[in-house]
Structures are given as structure tokens and as C-alpha cells.
Amino acid sequence: MTDNTNFNSFQKQRNKEEMKRQLITFVLMIGFTIVAFAIVATGSMQKMFAVPLLLIMAVVQVGFQFYYFMHMKDKGHEFPSLMIYGGVWAAILTIAALVAIVWW
């Protein structure tokens, strides 16, 4: 009986920490979105600096989505992780090939 109580207590603590991480990540993603909107809406940055910054912020948000909201960091998600990373790799190769065709 005590083993089950200890396990439940451990599980509750683990769930609480996971929810805390997800909330922090959500707030950071909302912050990135607000900053990106402000950059575009105010036109305060030159396009040469704004576009790379927006792309970097987008990549960070995709990482947050994968690891925290799609649970890619958890055990047992190896196959979905492999498929998503394979899709990302295929997209990168496709974009690289199209850029190479257009520019050369």
C-alpha cells in the first residue's frame, strides 16, 4: 500500500513539473509571437535584419512545439520522431534543390 502511495506522489510531482515546463514554453512562444508581430507591424527594423530574425524565432518555436507539445522528448516516441525528422530533412533537401535550380 505504501509503495503505491509513493508512486502516486512521485507521479503527481512529475506531472506538476511537466505542466510547469509546458506553461513556461507556452509563455515564451506567445512572447516570440508578440515580438515578431511588433517587428513587422512597426517596421522598426530593416528588412535585411528582420527576415533572418523572424526565421530564427520561427525555428525556435517549431523546436518548442516538437519537444514540449508533441512530447518528442519522451521515451516511446522514437518512430514518430524519426518520421518527423525524415520529413524535415526531405523538406530541406527539396528547398536546397529548388534554390540550386533557380539560381544556377
Side-chain angles (χ1 to χ4, degrees):
M1 183 73 174
T2 59
D3 291 336
N4 193 19
T5 305
N6 288 338
F7 178 75
N8 286 340
S9 174
F10 172 74
Q11 190 67 23
K12 284 182 182 180
Q13 181 67 25
R14 192 170 135 201
N15 290 344
K16 184 178 177 182
E17 290 173 8
E18 179 68 21
M19 182 58 76
K20 182 179 173 183
R21 283 190 210 111
Q22 286 190 354
L23 284 173
I24 290 170
T25 304
F26 179 72
V27 169
L28 284 172
M29 287 175 44
I30 294 296
F32 281 150
T33 302
I34 291 170
V35 169
F37 180 76
I39 289 171
V40 172
T42 62
S44 59
M45 292 182 111
Q46 293 179 3
K47 190 175 182 180
M48 186 173 83
F49 296 114
V51 171
L53 178 63
L54 293 172
L55 289 174
I56 289 170
M57 288 172 43
V59 168
V60 169
Q61 283 193 355
V62 167
F64 282 160
Q65 285 285 332
F66 280 164
Y67 286 101
Y68 288 101
F69 294 113
M70 294 177 72
H71 302 285
M72 300 266 293
K73 66 183 180 343
D74 296 339
K75 290 182 181 178
H77 292 121
E78 290 81 16
F79 186 71
S81 297
L82 178 68
M83 292 293 112
I84 288 174
Y85 293 139
V88 169
W89 180 244
I92 289 171
L93 288 177
T94 302
I95 291 169
L98 291 173
V99 167
I101 288 171
V102 169
W103 281 348
W104 281 293

XYZ file of all heavy atoms in Angstrom:
839
model
N 0.820 -1.187 0.000
C 0.000 0.000 0.000
C 0.866 1.253 0.000
O 0.566 2.206 -0.683
C -0.925 -0.048 1.218
C -1.867 1.097 1.287
S -3.136 0.896 0.026
C -4.173 2.222 0.414
N 1.949 1.244 0.764
C 2.798 2.430 0.828
C 3.562 2.638 -0.475
O 3.837 3.761 -0.843
C 3.795 2.338 1.998
O 4.589 1.167 1.813
C 3.071 2.305 3.328
N 3.892 1.526 -1.154
C 4.586 1.660 -2.434
C 3.712 2.384 -3.455
O 4.188 3.216 -4.204
C 4.989 0.293 -2.983
C 6.083 -0.357 -2.149
O 6.821 0.398 -1.479
O 6.176 -1.590 -2.170
N 2.438 2.067 -3.474
C 1.512 2.707 -4.396
C 1.358 4.191 -4.068
O 1.272 5.027 -4.956
C 0.158 1.996 -4.352
C -0.731 2.427 -5.503
O -0.245 2.957 -6.493
N -2.018 2.185 -5.346
N 1.327 4.528 -2.779
C 1.216 5.921 -2.363
C 2.452 6.701 -2.785
O 2.345 7.833 -3.267
C 1.029 6.010 -0.832
O -0.091 5.216 -0.465
C 0.814 7.443 -0.403
N 3.626 6.104 -2.620
C 4.866 6.762 -3.028
C 4.900 6.971 -4.539
O 5.337 8.014 -5.023
C 6.089 5.966 -2.582
C 6.308 6.033 -1.090
O 5.837 6.960 -0.431
N 6.982 5.042 -0.548
N 4.419 5.974 -5.279
C 4.388 6.087 -6.731
C 3.431 7.192 -7.153
O 3.736 7.981 -8.044
C 3.981 4.755 -7.363
C 3.891 4.822 -8.852
C 5.034 4.855 -9.626
C 2.651 4.869 -9.486
C 4.968 4.933 -11.008
C 2.572 4.949 -10.868
C 3.733 4.976 -11.629
N 2.250 7.257 -6.540
C 1.285 8.305 -6.870
C 1.843 9.684 -6.560
O 1.647 10.629 -7.318
C -0.034 8.087 -6.129
C -0.834 6.941 -6.706
O -0.617 6.540 -7.845
N -1.740 6.411 -5.910
N 2.523 9.799 -5.443
C 3.141 11.076 -5.073
C 4.212 11.463 -6.084
O 4.295 12.628 -6.504
C 3.751 10.971 -3.671
O 4.468 12.130 -3.356
N 5.032 10.492 -6.479
C 6.070 10.744 -7.486
C 5.449 11.146 -8.808
O 5.906 12.087 -9.471
C 6.937 9.489 -7.665
C 7.900 9.582 -8.799
C 9.039 10.372 -8.696
C 7.678 8.900 -9.991
C 9.923 10.474 -9.749
C 8.557 8.995 -11.043
C 9.698 9.780 -10.920
N 4.384 10.452 -9.209
C 3.710 10.745 -10.483
C 3.093 12.137 -10.461
O 3.170 12.872 -11.450
C 2.644 9.686 -10.759
C 2.059 9.769 -12.135
C 3.072 9.416 -13.215
O 4.061 8.738 -12.989
N 2.830 9.906 -14.409
N 2.480 12.515 -9.340
C 1.893 13.852 -9.221
C 2.966 14.932 -9.330
O 2.771 15.952 -9.992
C 1.150 13.999 -7.897
C -0.183 13.313 -7.869
C -0.879 13.542 -6.546
C -2.199 12.814 -6.511
N -2.899 13.013 -5.233
N 4.100 14.713 -8.675
C 5.199 15.678 -8.739
C 5.741 15.787 -10.165
O 6.008 16.884 -10.654
C 6.323 15.266 -7.772
C 7.487 16.220 -7.742
C 7.134 17.569 -7.164
O 6.195 17.698 -6.388
N 7.871 18.586 -7.551
N 5.877 14.656 -10.827
C 6.363 14.651 -12.204
C 5.386 15.363 -13.147
O 5.800 16.139 -14.005
C 6.587 13.209 -12.655
C 7.349 13.091 -13.927
C 7.737 11.665 -14.160
N 7.436 11.381 -15.549
C 7.259 10.199 -16.057
N 7.340 9.143 -15.290
N 7.013 10.038 -17.323
N 4.101 15.109 -12.981
C 3.093 15.784 -13.797
C 3.087 17.285 -13.544
O 2.911 18.074 -14.474
C 1.703 15.204 -13.528
C 1.547 13.801 -14.067
O 2.332 13.346 -14.883
N 0.537 13.105 -13.577
N 3.283 17.676 -12.305
C 3.319 19.096 -11.952
C 4.511 19.781 -12.628
O 4.382 20.879 -13.172
C 3.400 19.247 -10.436
C 3.359 20.663 -9.949
C 3.405 20.705 -8.429
C 3.439 22.130 -7.934
N 3.532 22.182 -6.469
N 5.668 19.133 -12.607
C 6.853 19.701 -13.252
C 6.674 19.782 -14.771
O 7.086 20.753 -15.399
C 8.088 18.875 -12.904
C 8.512 19.008 -11.460
C 9.624 18.067 -11.082
O 10.194 17.403 -11.982
O 9.934 17.980 -9.884
N 6.044 18.767 -15.356
C 5.793 18.772 -16.801
C 4.850 19.913 -17.180
O 5.071 20.610 -18.171
C 5.209 17.428 -17.236
C 4.904 17.339 -18.705
C 6.143 17.336 -19.582
O 7.229 17.008 -19.088
O 6.011 17.672 -20.770
N 3.811 20.111 -16.400
C 2.874 21.205 -16.672
C 3.575 22.552 -16.533
O 3.336 23.471 -17.325
C 1.681 21.128 -15.723
C 0.646 22.199 -15.986
S -0.026 22.184 -17.659
C -1.110 20.805 -17.557
N 4.446 22.671 -15.563
C 5.203 23.915 -15.374
C 6.059 24.199 -16.606
O 6.089 25.329 -17.112
C 6.073 23.799 -14.125
C 6.860 25.033 -13.804
C 7.678 24.815 -12.532
C 8.617 25.961 -12.275
N 9.445 25.726 -11.086
N 6.744 23.180 -17.114
C 7.573 23.354 -18.320
C 6.722 23.741 -19.530
O 7.109 24.589 -20.324
C 8.339 22.066 -18.625
C 9.523 21.858 -17.735
C 10.381 20.705 -18.237
N 11.022 20.092 -17.104
C 10.762 18.885 -16.632
N 9.877 18.120 -17.224
N 11.388 18.415 -15.583
N 5.571 23.116 -19.662
C 4.702 23.434 -20.796
C 4.170 24.858 -20.710
O 4.083 25.550 -21.719
C 3.559 22.435 -20.893
C 4.003 21.101 -21.419
C 2.854 20.184 -21.747
O 1.704 20.489 -21.492
N 3.178 19.039 -22.322
N 3.831 25.308 -19.519
C 3.360 26.687 -19.364
C 4.462 27.697 -19.664
O 4.212 28.717 -20.319
C 2.804 26.902 -17.955
C 1.432 26.304 -17.694
C 1.048 26.434 -16.223
C 0.390 26.961 -18.564
N 5.667 27.416 -19.205
C 6.795 28.311 -19.493
C 7.044 28.366 -20.994
O 7.237 29.440 -21.570
C 8.058 27.856 -18.725
C 7.881 28.111 -17.229
C 9.304 28.564 -19.249
C 8.953 27.487 -16.363
N 7.016 27.218 -21.640
C 7.215 27.164 -23.086
C 6.106 27.912 -23.814
O 6.367 28.651 -24.766
C 7.257 25.697 -23.558
O 8.279 25.013 -22.835
C 7.540 25.603 -25.036
N 4.879 27.755 -23.365
C 3.759 28.453 -23.989
C 3.927 29.965 -23.867
O 3.731 30.701 -24.840
C 2.449 28.003 -23.340
C 1.236 28.689 -23.893
C 0.776 28.380 -25.161
C 0.575 29.642 -23.150
C -0.338 29.020 -25.683
C -0.537 30.283 -23.665
C -1.000 29.977 -24.922
N 4.311 30.431 -22.699
C 4.521 31.870 -22.494
C 5.660 32.371 -23.383
O 5.556 33.451 -23.989
C 4.792 32.174 -21.003
C 5.275 33.592 -20.796
C 3.539 31.922 -20.183
N 6.736 31.602 -23.500
C 7.833 32.003 -24.378
C 7.373 32.073 -25.832
O 7.748 33.006 -26.566
C 8.997 31.022 -24.246
C 9.839 31.149 -22.990
C 10.827 29.982 -22.897
C 10.570 32.459 -22.961
N 6.566 31.125 -26.259
C 6.088 31.133 -27.640
C 5.176 32.327 -27.898
O 5.255 32.962 -28.952
C 5.364 29.826 -27.959
C 6.320 28.667 -28.092
S 5.559 27.070 -28.319
C 4.307 27.390 -29.489
N 4.326 32.667 -26.940
C 3.485 33.854 -27.073
C 4.360 35.101 -27.129
O 4.133 36.012 -27.936
C 2.470 33.943 -25.914
C 1.476 32.803 -25.985
C 1.750 35.289 -25.903
C 0.597 32.807 -27.212
N 5.410 35.130 -26.301
C 6.346 36.261 -26.325
C 7.034 36.396 -27.674
O 7.149 37.518 -28.213
N 7.497 35.273 -28.236
C 8.123 35.319 -29.567
C 7.135 35.825 -30.617
O 7.495 36.594 -31.497
C 8.624 33.934 -29.982
C 9.922 33.532 -29.349
C 10.197 32.197 -29.107
C 10.872 34.473 -28.998
C 11.391 31.815 -28.534
C 12.071 34.097 -28.428
C 12.328 32.775 -28.191
N 5.888 35.397 -30.512
C 4.872 35.827 -31.474
C 4.622 37.329 -31.357
O 4.517 38.028 -32.379
C 3.564 35.044 -31.252
O 3.846 33.647 -31.379
C 2.498 35.454 -32.246
N 4.545 37.832 -30.147
C 4.326 39.265 -29.949
C 5.506 40.071 -30.476
O 5.327 41.096 -31.142
C 4.055 39.566 -28.460
C 2.690 39.000 -28.066
C 4.124 41.054 -28.170
C 2.417 39.017 -26.578
N 6.724 39.598 -30.200
C 7.913 40.301 -30.700
C 7.935 40.289 -32.228
O 8.204 41.316 -32.867
C 9.200 39.666 -30.122
C 10.443 40.182 -30.822
C 9.289 39.926 -28.631
N 7.636 39.139 -32.831
C 7.619 39.053 -34.294
C 6.557 39.981 -34.877
O 6.807 40.685 -35.859
C 7.353 37.609 -34.728
N 5.383 40.005 -34.267
C 4.328 40.896 -34.749
C 4.751 42.354 -34.625
O 4.526 43.156 -35.537
C 3.034 40.651 -33.966
C 1.907 41.531 -34.406
C 1.241 41.271 -35.591
C 1.530 42.628 -33.654
C 0.202 42.087 -36.015
C 0.508 43.445 -34.061
C -0.165 43.174 -35.249
N 5.378 42.695 -33.504
C 5.821 44.072 -33.298
C 6.876 44.477 -34.323
O 6.853 45.605 -34.835
C 6.364 44.243 -31.884
N 7.786 43.583 -34.643
C 8.819 43.875 -35.644
C 8.188 44.169 -36.992
O 8.548 45.130 -37.673
C 9.831 42.713 -35.741
C 10.698 42.660 -34.491
C 10.701 42.846 -36.986
C 11.568 41.426 -34.402
N 7.227 43.353 -37.376
C 6.597 43.522 -38.687
C 5.652 44.728 -38.689
O 5.643 45.522 -39.628
C 5.852 42.235 -39.096
C 5.043 42.449 -40.356
C 6.842 41.098 -39.286
N 4.857 44.874 -37.632
C 3.844 45.928 -37.603
C 4.454 47.325 -37.524
O 3.952 48.255 -38.150
C 2.894 45.717 -36.431
N 5.527 47.465 -36.764
C 6.117 48.799 -36.602
C 7.105 49.130 -37.707
O 7.379 50.311 -37.940
C 6.833 48.918 -35.246
O 7.902 47.964 -35.184
C 5.868 48.722 -34.094
N 7.656 48.138 -38.345
C 8.656 48.392 -39.373
C 9.914 49.018 -38.794
O 10.632 49.749 -39.484
N 10.182 48.717 -37.533
C 11.313 49.339 -36.842
C 12.668 48.769 -37.267
O 13.688 49.383 -36.998
C 11.145 49.180 -35.329
O 11.079 47.813 -34.986
N 12.671 47.630 -37.911
C 13.928 47.025 -38.355
C 13.980 47.018 -39.875
O 12.955 46.920 -40.542
C 14.049 45.578 -37.871
C 14.217 45.398 -36.418
S 14.396 43.647 -36.056
C 16.078 43.617 -35.559
N 15.204 47.085 -40.360
C 15.379 46.944 -41.800
C 15.049 45.501 -42.192
O 15.229 44.569 -41.410
C 16.809 47.264 -42.197
C 17.188 48.702 -42.002
C 18.642 48.942 -42.390
O 19.336 48.046 -42.852
N 19.099 50.163 -42.194
N 14.589 45.345 -43.416
C 14.177 44.025 -43.892
C 15.336 43.029 -43.840
O 15.144 41.850 -43.555
C 13.640 44.154 -45.312
C 12.979 42.926 -45.838
C 12.359 43.164 -47.194
C 11.665 41.937 -47.689
N 11.053 42.142 -48.993
N 16.542 43.522 -44.078
C 17.720 42.656 -44.099
C 17.966 42.008 -42.728
O 18.482 40.900 -42.637
C 18.948 43.472 -44.516
C 20.194 42.652 -44.712
S 21.534 43.620 -45.397
C 22.196 44.376 -43.941
N 17.591 42.695 -41.647
C 17.773 42.152 -40.302
C 16.510 41.462 -39.789
O 16.589 40.504 -39.018
C 18.174 43.260 -39.320
C 19.496 43.880 -39.644
C 19.561 45.202 -40.029
C 20.656 43.142 -39.582
C 20.778 45.782 -40.339
C 21.877 43.708 -39.888
C 21.943 45.036 -40.275
N 15.354 41.953 -40.219
C 14.088 41.420 -39.707
C 13.824 40.002 -40.201
O 13.387 39.146 -39.426
C 12.938 42.344 -40.102
N 14.070 39.734 -41.469
C 13.752 38.418 -42.032
C 14.556 37.300 -41.358
O 13.972 36.298 -40.916
C 13.932 38.419 -43.571
C 13.822 37.016 -44.134
C 12.906 39.336 -44.215
N 15.889 37.419 -41.229
C 16.613 36.345 -40.528
C 16.180 36.192 -39.067
O 16.076 35.065 -38.568
C 18.081 36.763 -40.611
C 18.148 37.701 -41.750
C 16.835 38.387 -41.806
N 15.910 37.310 -38.400
C 15.464 37.229 -37.008
C 14.126 36.506 -36.906
O 13.936 35.645 -36.039
C 15.351 38.630 -36.400
C 14.857 38.687 -34.958
C 15.828 37.971 -34.025
C 14.658 40.124 -34.527
N 13.211 36.819 -37.796
C 11.908 36.151 -37.792
C 12.044 34.661 -38.101
O 11.350 33.828 -37.497
C 10.966 36.815 -38.786
C 10.533 38.250 -38.438
C 9.758 38.857 -39.584
C 9.744 38.281 -37.160
N 12.932 34.312 -39.027
C 13.149 32.902 -39.340
C 13.748 32.144 -38.156
O 13.351 31.004 -37.872
C 14.029 32.760 -40.578
C 13.372 33.156 -41.903
C 14.394 33.112 -43.034
C 12.193 32.254 -42.201
N 14.684 32.756 -37.463
C 15.285 32.127 -36.280
C 14.229 31.919 -35.199
O 14.153 30.846 -34.577
C 16.472 32.955 -35.759
C 17.642 32.856 -36.724
C 16.893 32.497 -34.362
C 18.772 33.820 -36.439
N 13.405 32.946 -34.980
C 12.351 32.819 -33.975
C 11.343 31.735 -34.370
O 10.836 31.006 -33.514
C 11.661 34.165 -33.759
C 12.559 35.145 -33.021
S 11.959 36.842 -32.898
C 10.276 36.699 -32.513
N 11.073 31.593 -35.660
C 10.160 30.548 -36.128
C 10.745 29.162 -35.885
O 10.034 28.245 -35.458
C 9.852 30.747 -37.607
N 12.026 28.998 -36.134
C 12.679 27.702 -35.909
C 12.661 27.349 -34.417
O 12.411 26.195 -34.042
C 14.122 27.716 -36.469
C 14.913 26.521 -35.998
C 14.093 27.772 -37.978
N 12.886 28.336 -33.562
C 12.835 28.092 -32.118
C 11.428 27.667 -31.710
O 11.254 26.729 -30.918
C 13.296 29.346 -31.333
C 12.998 29.208 -29.848
C 14.776 29.591 -31.549
N 10.417 28.317 -32.268
C 9.047 27.939 -31.939
C 8.710 26.529 -32.430
O 8.011 25.789 -31.743
C 8.054 28.946 -32.519
C 8.000 30.219 -31.717
C 6.818 31.086 -32.083
O 6.068 30.784 -33.011
N 6.641 32.152 -31.342
N 9.211 26.156 -33.584
C 8.996 24.792 -34.077
C 9.651 23.790 -33.123
O 9.073 22.743 -32.801
C 9.537 24.628 -35.517
C 9.614 23.170 -35.916
C 8.668 25.394 -36.494
N 10.844 24.110 -32.643
C 11.512 23.248 -31.669
C 10.697 23.101 -30.396
O 10.542 21.993 -29.858
N 10.166 24.213 -29.890
C 9.297 24.147 -28.713
C 8.085 23.262 -28.983
O 7.710 22.449 -28.136
C 8.815 25.544 -28.316
C 9.836 26.374 -27.578
C 9.708 27.747 -27.530
C 10.905 25.802 -26.926
C 10.618 28.531 -26.855
C 11.837 26.567 -26.246
C 11.684 27.937 -26.204
N 7.487 23.425 -30.155
C 6.319 22.620 -30.500
C 6.664 21.129 -30.503
O 5.931 20.322 -29.931
C 5.767 23.014 -31.879
C 5.023 24.303 -31.898
C 3.644 24.201 -31.275
O 3.023 23.149 -31.287
N 3.174 25.296 -30.731
N 7.743 20.776 -31.147
C 8.136 19.366 -31.227
C 8.424 18.783 -29.852
O 7.910 17.730 -29.495
C 9.366 19.182 -32.107
C 9.090 19.189 -33.578
C 10.121 19.356 -34.474
C 7.817 19.032 -34.077
C 9.889 19.365 -35.836
C 7.565 19.036 -35.434
C 8.614 19.198 -36.312
N 9.274 19.438 -29.086
C 9.765 18.826 -27.864
C 8.810 18.919 -26.692
O 8.770 18.019 -25.864
C 11.129 19.397 -27.494
C 12.196 18.850 -28.394
C 12.695 19.589 -29.448
C 12.670 17.564 -28.227
C 13.642 19.071 -30.302
C 13.615 17.026 -29.072
C 14.101 17.792 -30.101
O 15.031 17.269 -30.945
N 8.056 19.975 -26.591
C 7.203 20.110 -25.417
C 5.748 19.774 -25.682
O 5.102 19.154 -24.839
C 7.328 21.522 -24.831
C 8.660 21.705 -24.166
C 9.686 22.387 -24.789
C 8.906 21.141 -22.924
C 10.919 22.520 -24.194
C 10.140 21.266 -22.315
C 11.137 21.963 -22.960
O 12.360 22.077 -22.369
N 5.191 20.161 -26.802
C 3.773 19.934 -27.034
C 3.500 18.652 -27.805
O 2.410 18.104 -27.720
C 3.139 21.141 -27.724
C 3.149 22.350 -26.846
C 3.925 23.439 -27.163
C 2.410 22.388 -25.680
C 3.957 24.550 -26.341
C 2.431 23.490 -24.850
C 3.199 24.577 -25.182
N 4.460 18.179 -28.584
C 4.285 16.906 -29.272
C 5.013 15.779 -28.531
O 5.076 14.659 -29.008
C 4.781 17.020 -30.715
C 3.935 17.985 -31.530
S 4.534 18.199 -33.189
C 4.088 16.641 -33.911
N 5.600 16.091 -27.388
C 6.245 15.120 -26.491
C 7.355 14.329 -27.178
O 7.541 13.145 -26.900
C 5.207 14.170 -25.895
C 4.129 14.874 -25.140
N 4.325 15.407 -23.898
C 2.841 15.166 -25.473
C 3.218 15.974 -23.479
N 2.297 15.856 -24.427
N 8.094 14.962 -28.058
C 9.172 14.263 -28.759
C 10.348 13.959 -27.823
O 11.187 13.139 -28.151
C 9.653 15.094 -29.945
C 8.599 15.383 -30.962
S 8.544 14.236 -32.284
C 10.074 14.554 -33.085
N 10.388 14.590 -26.673
C 11.470 14.346 -25.734
C 11.216 13.105 -24.879
O 12.115 12.609 -24.236
C 11.649 15.570 -24.829
C 10.463 15.822 -23.926
C 10.653 17.056 -23.108
C 9.521 17.354 -22.192
N 8.256 16.747 -22.377
N 10.002 12.600 -24.902
C 9.632 11.467 -24.059
C 10.040 10.141 -24.673
O 10.171 10.012 -25.888
C 8.116 11.462 -23.821
C 7.651 12.680 -23.044
O 8.485 13.300 -22.368
O 6.459 13.006 -23.128
N 10.211 9.150 -23.809
C 10.514 7.798 -24.276
C 9.292 7.213 -24.976
O 8.160 7.536 -24.653
C 10.892 6.906 -23.093
C 12.215 7.248 -22.474
C 12.535 6.302 -21.348
C 13.865 6.687 -20.722
N 14.193 5.823 -19.598
N 9.546 6.356 -25.950
C 8.462 5.715 -26.672
C 8.013 6.479 -27.905
O 7.088 6.054 -28.578
N 8.645 7.587 -28.207
C 8.278 8.373 -29.383
C 9.392 8.365 -30.427
O 9.562 9.328 -31.172
C 7.949 9.822 -28.982
C 6.701 9.936 -28.177
N 6.687 10.478 -26.918
C 5.426 9.565 -28.448
C 5.459 10.450 -26.455
N 4.678 9.890 -27.364
N 10.132 7.282 -30.461
C 11.258 7.218 -31.392
C 10.798 7.156 -32.847
O 11.358 7.832 -33.698
C 12.158 6.011 -31.080
C 12.947 6.144 -29.798
C 12.141 5.793 -28.558
O 11.060 5.164 -28.680
O 12.575 6.175 -27.458
N 9.785 6.336 -33.129
C 9.326 6.202 -34.513
C 8.698 7.494 -35.042
O 9.053 7.939 -36.138
C 8.362 5.023 -34.666
C 7.974 4.768 -36.083
C 8.880 4.237 -36.987
C 6.707 5.084 -36.532
C 8.539 4.016 -38.307
C 6.338 4.874 -37.848
C 7.265 4.343 -38.739
N 7.783 8.133 -34.286
C 7.275 9.427 -34.771
C 8.390 10.460 -34.923
O 8.374 11.258 -35.866
C 6.278 9.854 -33.697
C 5.833 8.591 -33.060
C 7.028 7.697 -33.104
N 9.361 10.437 -34.025
C 10.493 11.365 -34.138
C 11.263 11.115 -35.426
O 11.620 12.058 -36.145
C 11.446 11.205 -32.951
O 10.819 11.536 -31.745
N 11.510 9.854 -35.724
C 12.224 9.502 -36.945
C 11.475 9.981 -38.185
O 12.075 10.551 -39.105
C 12.426 7.985 -37.009
C 13.116 7.443 -38.256
C 14.565 7.887 -38.281
C 13.007 5.935 -38.291
N 10.171 9.789 -38.191
C 9.362 10.216 -39.337
C 9.360 11.738 -39.492
O 9.484 12.266 -40.599
C 7.922 9.711 -39.205
C 7.766 8.218 -39.314
S 8.169 7.635 -40.972
C 9.646 6.722 -40.657
N 9.229 12.454 -38.386
C 9.223 13.924 -38.462
C 10.578 14.440 -38.893
O 10.674 15.325 -39.758
C 8.787 14.525 -37.117
C 7.292 14.276 -36.922
C 9.081 16.026 -37.065
C 6.754 14.691 -35.571
N 11.654 13.914 -38.316
C 12.992 14.363 -38.717
C 13.275 14.006 -40.176
O 13.922 14.767 -40.890
C 14.069 13.769 -37.809
C 14.004 14.297 -36.397
C 14.183 13.456 -35.318
C 13.757 15.636 -36.140
C 14.128 13.925 -34.015
C 13.702 16.115 -34.846
C 13.888 15.252 -33.798
O 13.835 15.733 -32.506
N 12.787 12.853 -40.613
C 12.929 12.483 -42.023
C 12.186 13.441 -42.930
O 12.685 13.840 -43.990
N 10.987 13.856 -42.517
C 10.222 14.828 -43.288
C 10.903 16.182 -43.334
O 10.921 16.851 -44.380
N 11.465 16.604 -42.210
C 12.199 17.878 -42.173
C 13.413 17.803 -43.093
O 13.694 18.740 -43.851
C 12.614 18.230 -40.722
C 13.599 19.383 -40.693
C 11.388 18.565 -39.890
N 14.120 16.685 -43.048
C 15.296 16.516 -43.904
C 14.896 16.531 -45.385
O 15.568 17.161 -46.207
C 16.026 15.239 -43.547
C 17.242 14.979 -44.367
C 17.442 13.941 -45.224
C 18.437 15.764 -44.435
N 18.673 14.031 -45.810
C 19.311 15.142 -45.342
C 18.845 16.929 -43.805
C 20.561 15.656 -45.639
C 20.104 17.441 -44.109
C 20.939 16.804 -45.019
N 13.810 15.862 -45.727
C 13.331 15.858 -47.116
C 12.929 17.265 -47.559
O 13.203 17.671 -48.692
C 12.150 14.897 -47.266
N 12.305 18.022 -46.667
C 11.923 19.401 -46.996
C 13.159 20.269 -47.218
O 13.203 21.074 -48.162
C 11.061 19.981 -45.882
N 14.170 20.098 -46.385
C 15.413 20.874 -46.539
C 16.080 20.536 -47.868
O 16.520 21.434 -48.602
C 16.365 20.617 -45.349
C 15.813 21.273 -44.097
C 17.770 21.128 -45.649
C 16.547 20.902 -42.825
N 16.146 19.245 -48.204
C 16.749 18.845 -49.477
C 15.955 19.383 -50.669
O 16.549 19.829 -51.664
C 16.846 17.320 -49.565
C 17.898 16.658 -48.685
C 17.816 15.143 -48.827
C 19.286 17.145 -49.042
N 14.642 19.359 -50.567
C 13.804 19.876 -51.650
C 14.021 21.369 -51.845
O 14.187 21.844 -52.977
C 12.316 19.584 -51.365
O 12.149 18.180 -51.213
C 11.435 20.107 -52.474
N 14.032 22.114 -50.759
C 14.262 23.562 -50.847
C 15.644 23.852 -51.408
O 15.811 24.725 -52.269
C 14.061 24.225 -49.477
C 12.576 24.172 -49.104
C 14.555 25.663 -49.471
C 12.284 24.555 -47.664
N 16.654 23.110 -50.951
C 18.010 23.307 -51.456
C 18.083 23.019 -52.962
O 18.725 23.751 -53.710
C 18.997 22.428 -50.691
N 17.406 21.959 -53.384
C 17.420 21.619 -54.817
C 16.713 22.685 -55.643
O 17.203 23.078 -56.712
C 16.759 20.259 -55.038
N 15.590 23.169 -55.161
C 14.870 24.208 -55.890
C 15.661 25.510 -55.944
O 15.671 26.190 -56.974
C 13.493 24.448 -55.257
C 12.497 23.314 -55.420
C 11.233 23.575 -54.609
C 12.176 23.089 -56.890
N 16.328 25.852 -54.871
C 17.176 27.059 -54.864
C 18.323 26.877 -55.851
O 18.649 27.804 -56.605
C 17.696 27.350 -53.446
C 18.811 28.386 -53.452
C 16.557 27.825 -52.548
N 18.921 25.703 -55.851
C 20.030 25.450 -56.786
C 19.561 25.517 -58.239
O 20.257 26.065 -59.098
C 20.645 24.080 -56.493
N 18.381 24.992 -58.518
C 17.865 25.026 -59.891
C 17.577 26.459 -60.329
O 17.869 26.861 -61.453
C 16.594 24.158 -60.002
C 16.967 22.689 -59.924
C 15.841 24.437 -61.293
C 15.770 21.757 -59.802
N 17.003 27.242 -59.442
C 16.638 28.619 -59.795
C 17.868 29.503 -59.975
O 17.918 30.321 -60.878
C 15.683 29.201 -58.721
C 15.502 30.693 -58.908
C 14.345 28.491 -58.778
N 18.846 29.352 -59.136
C 19.990 30.256 -59.160
C 21.092 29.827 -60.121
O 21.970 30.618 -60.430
C 20.558 30.430 -57.765
C 19.738 31.406 -56.954
C 18.778 32.230 -57.416
C 19.819 31.620 -55.557
N 18.245 32.975 -56.386
C 18.875 32.610 -55.225
C 20.601 31.088 -54.542
C 18.707 33.076 -53.939
C 20.424 31.555 -53.252
C 19.483 32.550 -52.969
N 21.111 28.556 -60.556
C 22.177 28.154 -61.487
C 21.597 27.746 -62.774
O 20.912 27.072 -63.201
C 23.036 27.027 -60.885
C 24.026 27.559 -59.913
C 25.091 28.356 -60.200
C 24.058 27.350 -58.502
N 25.768 28.648 -59.045
C 25.161 28.043 -57.975
C 23.267 26.657 -57.605
C 25.512 28.052 -56.651
C 23.605 26.666 -56.290
C 24.710 27.357 -55.817
